[in-house]
Amino acid sequence: MRRSAAPSQVLGNVAKKPRFIPPGKSNALRPKTETKEVDQDMKLKEVNEQQGSASGLSKIYCQNQNVNFTQSVDSTGKVKTTTACNSGNKCSRLEMKMLSTPKADATYLPTSGMAKEEAAQEEPDCLTKYFSVVWCKASKKKHKKWEGDAVLVTKGKSVILKDMEGKDIGRGTGYKPKELDSLDEGQTLMIGGKEIEVMGVISADDFSSGRCFQTGIVTHDTVPTALPQASMKRFCKPFKNVCQPNTKENILNNSQSCKPRHDPNASNSLVMPRPNASHQWMFNKAGLPVVDVVVDPYIANNLRPHQKEGIVFLYECVMGMRVSGRFGAILADEMGLGKTLQCISLVWTLLRQGVYGCKPVLKRALIVTPGSLVKNWKKEFQKWLGSERIKVFTVDQDHKVEEFISSPLYSVMIISYEMLLRSLEQIQAIEFNLLICDEGHRLKNSSIKTTTALTSLSCERRIILTGTPIQNDLQEFYALIEFVNPGVLGSLSTYRKIYEEPIVRSREPSATKEEKELGEKRAAELTRLTGLFILRRTQEVINKFLPPKKESIIFCRPTALQLELYRKLLSSQVIRSCLQGRLENSPHLICIGALKKLCNHPCLLFKAVKEKSCDPMNDEHDESSLYEGLTDVFPQGYSSDTFSETDSGKLQVLVKLLAAIHELNSSERVVLVSNYTQTLNILQETCKSYGYSYTRLDGHTPVSQRQHIVDSFNSKFSPAFIFLLSSKAGGVGLNLVGASHLILYDIDWNPATDIQAMARVWRDGQKHTVHIYRLLTTGSIEEKIYQRQISKQDLSGAVVDLSKTSEHIHFSVEELKNLFTLHEDSSCVTHDLLECDCMGNKDHQNPSSEKPSASRSCQLGQDQGKPNSKKPLSMSQLMQWKHFSGQHQALADPFLERIKEKVSFIFQNVTSPTSPAQ
Ligand SMILES: Nc1ncnc2c1ncn2[C@@H]1O[C@H](COP(=O)(O)OP(=O)(O)OP(=O)(O)O)[C@@H](O)[C@H]1O
Ligand SMILES: [Mg+2]
């Protein structure tokens, strides 16, 4: 490959590219003692010579796009920075006093960080420098065939050569430190069997953030560049077929007739930003008039401020105005912020308008969504645009894709993920100009069928909508980004080396200070880069438009039967062997399942025992042994069909709670959520026995009926008092604002599942104060799961995502010991853990009504600052909630007042438009 074929020459490089100076023997530096070509694992020789600070004066060179800095540290600890503009005309100087001693490693960014060995094996006090270089195999030829770009890291007498994916491709040591120190543009160096030529200096910051490696992000603020072919070729050009031929006549006609479709100067108008010169240069070659794109006031008048911002963001992304040559976006707003409306506004705008010569940007848009939301999308289109403006086509059993193709009426197709797979061939044949994937976190796995199917569609404008946080698993994060903007983060191996590995490493407890710093820098850079096309706003932006939310965590005393069965289970051989660390075949998961069933209702456990004993084919030894002797604990004649509410602490509380709501707020309705169908059956039977009308949506509900069930329930005239909801089946995306009370009957390992369910009622359109109740069995595994949910958040600040179940959780023996302990004497283990000395006898004021003070006895620590609703509640935030024991004399809440007899403890928090969300 000739030099011109090196990637830096094709794509442009972050570092400045000097003129070409062929490498010659004369200026090639060779190591004095030895150089070796090494593979990744090969270790550097220890070099102990002290450099840099020993001389009292050391230098680092930094470079950004326009300015070069030269920093030098003198022996008094002052950093002198010389700034040289690339134009070479102006220079300025600035001096800043360093706070620390003039040790080079205290001053400069981490040396490398690709691997801790590098940091450990190199001279600790030496100055590390970074260069962009080109490399080739060493040869005596005059005209070198450069094989690629690389990054050279020099420190003391050693060098490391990294390819643009961050992999080490050469190492050497024994160079003259002075020569390495004076290495400069145009100079060459031998590293083992490779020869390199220095193209420019890379700043320590560009190295530690990873910017100097190969990623595909170019914004329009920088120079538009060609995109790697690999990521482009499967797409159609985004503007193809949409604009008319650019005949002179057309251009003339257009400029005369081109006016914005809506008045950009009207009050409350939402006008899209105009593309800059480089965008026009790329996409308006015909020189069509540039016309303001204005969102239809019919829809714009209803938009919340954050939605207006979101529409502008989406517009800029899909028009390729944010990242050059990329047209994808991820809208990750929290649940209920109206992602649907923002997309509808975008689709409607682009179907009718376009910035270049008024030509609509879209002809057809495809919306793919979970089956239960297909009709909801259609409804939302009608809600915001009426039935006159646009006809949307929903694919179902009776409405096949062919109908969409043959009818000129439709420009928007809404289809479920399942249906898409079934009709993939037909869909592939249609040219869509925009693809929206609702609840798109399911595309986090690039090898699943749905992702490959959607990737095969030749549509470059892609939007993922998700209310679930997406940044926890860096590989899944990459898959989502790769879907919307393929290639934007470079290849997977580059991404792993540059971002994933340093970030993951930095979060390990054994990470060194340098690794931590590097990981943080890389994470910050990743967030900055992806922030160009990912937008996430939290619930707080909408709180002021919503009615207050009262959230209560209710600790329900277990019944005598539950306690007895619980003790029996805990004394089983299986649990004892789990606690000795014998976890082959995951017996602990069976034990956890049994305890959770017992907490919901003993009859569920009874049923499992019976089924087990009736199924001789099932040779699950652990399960049989866990259930051994359990039937003897149940009363004689016990049957799972005729269960009684008095056997379950939570069910007793639930019954009282439902009665209180029914009596005190007869016009308000309740969503009752469980993760288990069998538990829903029990709850359904309970509804029946008390004569409460109900409706139900779970995994077995046909998709075609779901929207109808939701609509009927939300209707004013709905006879149903209770909506029984399986959180796993129907949690995402549903609007259940017809109810203002929501009860979480059981708890999931994953806080995101519970948060999803809670967001169904406290969302736009809700008119009443919302009451959320979470029922937990006191002292049981449920409390432990809850503590795990919240204390994990405290530690990591990250939110696990929906798909993580207990099977994915790794439990240490210590954790299992905790899980398998029953606290019979405590009225709330969670409160005990907070080490609050209130003894549950007094109210603790919510910070919304009283500022927390450091002197307050039950304070765990100072206020954590503004609570972040992205994260589930943390332990320290929980401390800020009002809390009281069930025996409390007079509870201000009339609903809680009615249930307190069976309740051992309560935490409660109110979020109102004037108070911050917890
Ligand atoms: N500006 C608005 N004014 C009034 N209601 C609105 C507004 N925006 C959205 N809504 C309503 O808020 C509800 C929630 O919106 P939507 O379903 O789009 O939320 P979402 O962001 O998709 O949430 P999820 O992640 O749960 O799917 C819908 O009933 C919608 O009609
Ligand atoms: Mg939604």
Side-chain angles (χ1 to χ4, degrees):
M1 184 166 63
R2 311 245 352 140
R3 175 199 170 96
S4 56
S8 65
Q9 309 303 304
V10 180
L11 285 174
N13 202 331
V14 183
K16 189 179 123 194
K17 289 184 291 297
R19 77 205 144 79
F20 172 54
I21 308 167
K25 264 188 182 165
S26 54
N27 58 357
L29 299 181
R30 284 170 189 279
K32 201 173 151 198
T33 50
E34 70 174 303
T35 56
K36 281 196 243 180
E37 186 148 2
V38 287
D39 68 29
Q40 260 180 188
D41 301 326
M42 216 155 161
K43 306 275 186 233
L44 265 179
K45 230 172 73 177
E46 284 276 357
V47 184
N48 295 318
E49 198 175 311
Q50 296 288 305
Q51 286 271 322
S53 63
S55 67
L57 190 73
S58 55
K59 281 184 177 179
I60 55 168
Y61 299 94
C62 311
Q63 186 177 52
N64 69 11
Q65 274 163 17
N66 302 311
V67 190
N68 288 333
F69 302 97
T70 310
Q71 286 195 333
S72 47
V73 184
D74 68 18
S75 52
T76 64
K78 278 186 178 170
V79 177
K80 286 187 177 173
T81 305
T82 314
T83 313
C85 299
N86 277 351
S87 64
N89 295 336
K90 286 182 187 166
C91 290
S92 64
R93 268 167 196 282
L94 64 117
E95 281 193 357
M96 58 184 164
K97 180 86 182 152
M98 274 173 58
L99 292 173
S100 56
T101 57
K103 263 186 99 182
D105 66 344
T107 318
Y108 303 125
L109 292 163
T111 49
S112 70
M114 285 302 166
K116 60 174 184 259
E117 76 205 26
E118 290 168 18
Q121 287 168 359
E122 289 170 358
E123 306 90 320
D125 287 344
C126 278
L127 183 62
T128 308
K129 287 177 162 188
Y130 310 93
F131 301 91
S132 68
V133 300
V134 284
W135 69 272
C136 63
K137 290 214 180 78
S139 83
K140 290 192 173 148
K141 283 188 193 149
K142 206 171 166 197
H143 294 291
K144 305 286 176 193
K145 284 192 179 173
W146 298 108
E147 293 190 36
D149 291 289
V151 173
L152 178 72
V153 184
T154 69
K155 186 170 184 181
K157 296 196 283 187
S158 311
V159 299
I160 300 172
L161 189 65
K162 289 173 184 294
D163 70 7
M164 298 313 280
E165 298 190 340
K167 263 192 292 195
D168 293 2
I169 52 171
R171 288 185 180 205
T173 188
Y175 294 86
K176 282 188 187 155
K178 258 193 197 157
E179 281 175 357
L180 286 186
D181 200 43
S182 60
L183 203 59
D184 211 347
E185 268 175 39
Q187 279 189 291
T188 58
L189 187 71
M190 301 299 291
I191 302 171
K194 293 194 175 71
E195 182 167 350
I196 62 104
E197 181 185 322
V198 176
M199 309 301 290
V201 180
I202 294 170
S203 71
D205 200 36
D206 272 349
F207 180 82
S208 56
S209 66
R211 272 196 296 271
C212 62
F213 294 98
Q214 203 166 51
T215 62
I217 293 191
V218 182
T219 63
H220 270 293
D221 297 335
T222 59
V223 199
T225 54
L227 284 167
Q229 285 304 309
S231 62
M232 288 293 289
K233 66 175 179 246
R234 53 197 153 126
F235 293 126
C236 328
K237 277 266 160 263
F239 290 84
K240 192 185 120 188
N241 289 347
V242 179
C243 293
Q244 301 243 315
N246 308 317
T247 58
K248 262 189 192 162
E249 207 178 315
N250 269 343
I251 294 173
L252 194 66
N253 286 345
N254 280 333
S255 51
Q256 282 162 1
S257 63
C258 262
K259 283 198 207 105
R261 194 177 163 93
H262 307 285
D263 181 2
N265 300 314
S267 69
N268 210 18
S269 66
L270 176 57
V271 186
M272 295 299 117
R274 287 190 168 210
N276 66 10
S278 76
H279 189 277
Q280 295 186 29
W281 179 83
M282 277 176 86
F283 297 113
N284 190 20
K285 295 242 157 50
L288 297 172
V290 175
V291 189
D292 275 329
V293 171
V294 186
V295 176
D296 191 338
Y298 185 82
I299 208 166
N301 287 334
N302 292 309
L303 294 170
R304 309 269 190 225
H306 74 276
Q307 292 173 330
K308 290 184 176 176
E309 277 168 29
I311 294 163
V312 170
F313 162 83
L314 290 175
Y315 175 84
E316 288 184 336
C317 287
V318 301
M319 295 297 289
M321 289 162 68
R322 295 194 134 241
V323 183
S324 179
R326 313 286 169 169
F327 306 89
I330 299 180
L331 182 60
D333 283 347
E334 269 190 353
M335 293 154 280
L337 296 199
K339 293 184 280 295
T340 322
L341 173 56
Q342 293 174 66
C343 286
I344 289 172
S345 310
L346 179 81
V347 169
W348 175 235
T349 306
L350 295 182
L351 279 173
R352 289 289 176 275
Q353 303 176 55
V355 65
Y356 298 131
C358 292
K359 296 288 174 277
V361 174
L362 308 182
K363 251 187 182 167
R364 292 187 203 92
L366 176 64
I367 297 165
V368 193
T369 180
S372 52
L373 297 176
V374 169
K375 291 205 174 126
N376 184 60
W377 268 90
K378 186 172 183 170
K379 238 185 85 204
E380 289 273 313
F381 265 99
Q382 275 167 3
K383 177 171 171 180
W384 300 110
L385 289 169
S387 40
E388 302 303 313
R389 285 173 181 73
I390 190 166
K391 291 232 169 306
V392 296
F393 185 85
T394 50
V395 183
D396 57 34
Q397 298 299 339
D398 305 323
H399 303 89
K400 302 274 186 251
V401 174
E402 289 84 349
E403 210 181 306
F404 176 83
I405 301 171
S406 59
S407 167
L409 282 177
Y410 303 109
S411 44
V412 177
M413 180 195 276
I414 305 170
I415 190 168
S416 69
Y417 286 99
E418 299 73 30
M419 198 62 103
L420 175 104
L421 288 179
R422 270 183 258 158
S423 342
L424 186 61
E425 259 180 49
Q426 288 131 302
I427 306 260
Q428 277 169 334
I430 308 171
E431 197 179 319
F432 288 102
N433 319 106
L434 175 65
L435 168 63
I436 296 175
C437 301
D438 192 16
E439 304 297 344
H441 42 264
R442 64 173 65 202
L443 306 178
K444 66 192 176 193
N445 186 335
S446 53
S447 54
I448 59 166
K449 262 199 215 153
T450 313
T451 314
T452 32
L454 284 162
T455 310
S456 74
L457 300 183
S458 60
C459 175
E460 199 169 11
R461 296 193 187 89
R462 296 173 175 184
I463 297 176
I464 279 183
L465 303 181
T466 176
T468 304
I470 51 172
Q471 283 177 339
N472 311 310
D473 184 315
L474 286 168
Q475 283 196 30
E476 295 175 355
F477 185 53
Y478 179 81
L480 292 178
I481 287 168
E482 190 61 11
F483 177 74
V484 291
N485 281 329
V488 81
L489 291 179
S491 69
L492 180 60
S493 59
T494 309
Y495 172 79
R496 285 203 172 130
K497 277 274 166 208
I498 309 298
Y499 298 111
E500 192 184 335
E501 284 173 16
I503 294 171
V504 169
R505 175 76 195 118
S506 71
R507 290 179 182 166
E508 282 166 11
S510 60
T512 63
K513 189 172 158 255
E514 282 190 339
E515 284 168 338
K516 278 192 184 134
E517 278 174 4
L518 186 77
E520 275 164 25
K521 285 228 162 208
R522 294 279 162 96
E525 180 63 8
L526 185 61
T527 307
R528 191 191 67 79
L529 289 177
T530 54
L532 292 169
F533 52 89
I534 298 179
L535 182 64
R536 180 164 176 86
R537 276 82 54 87
T538 60
Q539 185 85 40
E540 273 132 62
V541 299
I542 205 177
N543 282 359
K544 60 176 175 285
F545 303 109
L546 295 181
K549 175 177 72 167
K550 237 180 192 185
E551 234 177 306
S552 307
I553 305 162
I554 300 170
F555 296 82
C556 311
R557 275 183 230 288
T559 61
L561 178 61
Q562 279 176 311
L563 285 174
E564 207 174 332
L565 287 164
Y566 211 106
R567 282 184 225 118
K568 180 85 186 161
L569 283 173
L570 292 188
S571 65
S572 72
Q573 179 55 41
V574 188
I575 288 195
R576 271 186 279 138
S577 71
C578 285
L579 297 182
Q580 281 156 11
R582 269 175 250 137
L583 300 177
E584 305 87 59
N585 304 325
S586 307
H588 59 295
L589 296 181
I590 297 171
C591 304
I592 289 170
L595 292 174
K596 287 181 83 181
K597 278 188 181 138
L598 174 57
C599 289
N600 277 2
H601 199 288
C603 77
L604 295 171
L605 183 62
F606 187 79
K607 205 163 172 228
V609 176
K610 285 284 156 201
E611 277 167 9
K612 182 80 215 155
S613 61
C614 296
D615 183 7
M617 298 301 285
N618 190 335
D619 57 353
E620 188 66 76
H621 172 72
D622 291 328
E623 198 176 355
S624 313
S625 109
L626 178 70
Y627 296 159
E628 229 170 72
L630 267 188
T631 31
D632 302 340
V633 183
F634 283 95
Q636 283 244 314
Y638 193 91
S639 148
S640 57
D641 301 331
T642 54
F643 67 90
S644 152
E645 76 197 39
T646 51
D647 288 339
S648 158
K650 285 198 298 181
L651 194 58
Q652 285 178 329
V653 171
L654 176 74
V655 166
K656 287 201 175 297
L657 188 56
L658 291 176
I661 299 167
H662 201 248
E663 207 182 311
L664 299 172
N665 263 357
S666 57
S667 62
E668 292 183 26
R669 277 168 264 155
V670 182
V671 177
L672 187 46
V673 189
S674 170
N675 292 306
Y676 307 99
T677 315
Q678 284 189 359
T679 304
L680 277 182
N681 293 344
I682 291 181
L683 302 179
Q684 181 171 323
E685 287 309 309
T686 308
C687 290
K688 269 191 201 160
S689 67
Y690 280 88
Y692 299 135
S693 51
Y694 63 87
T695 188
R696 173 167 171 163
L697 195 154
D698 62 23
H700 301 293
T701 313
V703 167
S704 56
Q705 286 174 20
R706 292 184 179 195
Q707 190 59 39
H708 178 68
I709 293 174
V710 169
D711 289 346
S712 319
F713 180 74
N714 286 335
S715 145
K716 278 209 289 272
F717 309 107
S718 166
F721 169 51
I722 291 168
F723 193 107
L724 295 164
L725 176 70
S726 152
S727 54
K728 294 257 166 77
V732 294
L734 291 184
N735 289 311
L736 292 171
V737 289
S740 50
H741 295 258
L742 180 136
I743 305 170
L744 290 170
Y745 189 77
D746 40 50
I747 181 159
D748 196 72
W749 289 101
N750 189 339
T753 314
D754 294 342
I755 293 171
Q756 268 281 356
M758 290 194 266
R760 300 307 106 209
V761 292
W762 198 52
R763 51 168 50 210
D764 229 321
Q766 178 58 260
K767 307 269 184 301
H768 304 282
T769 294
V770 166
H771 302 259
I772 310 255
Y773 312 92
R774 178 195 287 283
L775 305 186
L776 299 174
T777 307
T778 310
S780 74
I781 192 164
E782 292 188 327
E783 267 207 67
K784 308 295 172 66
I785 299 173
Y786 183 62
Q787 288 154 18
R788 189 177 160 114
Q789 267 196 10
I790 62 179
S791 61
K792 283 271 164 192
Q793 305 319 318
D794 246 2
L795 288 177
S796 67
V799 181
V800 281
D801 85 46
L802 273 178
S803 60
K804 299 274 190 290
T805 61
S806 54
E807 284 141 49
H808 297 93
I809 301 174
H810 171 78
F811 297 98
S812 66
V813 171
E814 265 324 293
E815 278 173 302
L816 286 178
K817 264 186 198 148
N818 181 35
L819 273 183
F820 297 148
T821 305
L822 174 66
H823 302 258
E824 294 191 44
D825 302 330
S826 172
S827 60
C828 180
V829 183
T830 312
H831 180 248
D832 300 344
L833 278 179
L834 294 176
E835 292 177 358
C836 166
D837 62 4
C838 73
M839 312 293 283
N841 291 328
K842 54 182 178 184
D843 280 6
H844 282 269
Q845 284 298 303
N846 188 302
S848 57
S849 53
E850 177 196 294
K851 278 210 152 163
S853 79
S855 61
R856 216 168 68 191
S857 55
C858 69
Q859 206 72 30
L860 264 188
Q862 283 298 311
D863 190 12
Q864 299 286 298
K866 203 170 167 226
N868 180 354
S869 72
K870 257 188 285 190
K871 296 183 208 163
L873 180 67
S874 67
M875 277 299 224
S876 42
Q877 285 167 4
L878 184 64
M879 194 63 177
Q880 310 287 330
W881 286 30
K882 267 185 180 179
H883 50 274
F884 23 74
S885 78
Q887 277 86 51
H888 199 275
Q889 286 307 303
L891 300 181
D893 185 310
F895 302 104
L896 299 187
E897 186 62 44
R898 298 277 189 107
I899 60 168
K900 68 181 189 184
E901 188 195 326
K902 301 285 174 197
V903 166
S904 64
F905 210 86
I906 298 168
F907 279 91
Q908 192 181 58
N909 181 59
V910 182
T911 308
S912 61
T914 49
S915 73
Q918 289 281 349

